[in-house]
Amino acid sequence: DEPTEGLDSRTATAMLGNLFDRAAGKTIIMITHRAEALRQMDQIAVMLQGRIVAVDSPDNLYRGNEVFQTLVNGPGNRYV
């Protein structure tokens, strides 16, 4: 749950890069409210009011999922 909480942007980016390098070929389940790592995922499950409402690649969600776009482009745009 929220592995980058409390980290500055530079440290969070480095930590996520290290995590993805070490986990190559393995499954990672990351729960996050922050948008910065989403494009690095193979699949994203979008939750709304406690239910999964979409599962797709980041590209497809950024391109055409209204709920995902509303969450990502909402106030502040830093937290999803």
Side-chain angles (χ1 to χ4, degrees):
D1 181 22
E2 207 61 74
T4 60
E5 184 63 32
L7 300 178
D8 61 78
S9 181
R10 182 177 177 186
T11 303
T13 299
M15 192 279 306
L16 288 173
N18 189 27
L19 173 66
F20 293 136
D21 288 345
R22 290 178 179 261
K26 298 178 182 162
T27 299
I28 297 174
I29 297 175
M30 182 185 312
I31 300 168
T32 187
H33 300 274
R34 295 177 181 228
E36 61 247 9
L38 295 178
R39 288 211 182 263
Q40 297 177 52
M41 302 296 150
D42 294 323
Q43 295 276 308
I44 298 171
V46 180
M47 294 186 71
L48 184 65
Q49 298 179 347
R51 297 187 184 272
I52 295 175
V53 296
V55 178
D56 211 333
S57 69
D59 287 342
N60 287 341
L61 289 171
Y62 274 102
R63 252 194 318 257
N65 184 282
E66 186 177 328
V67 172
F68 180 78
Q69 290 175 5
T70 299
L71 292 171
V72 170
N73 295 321
N77 195 4
R78 180 174 174 204
Y79 295 96
V80 175

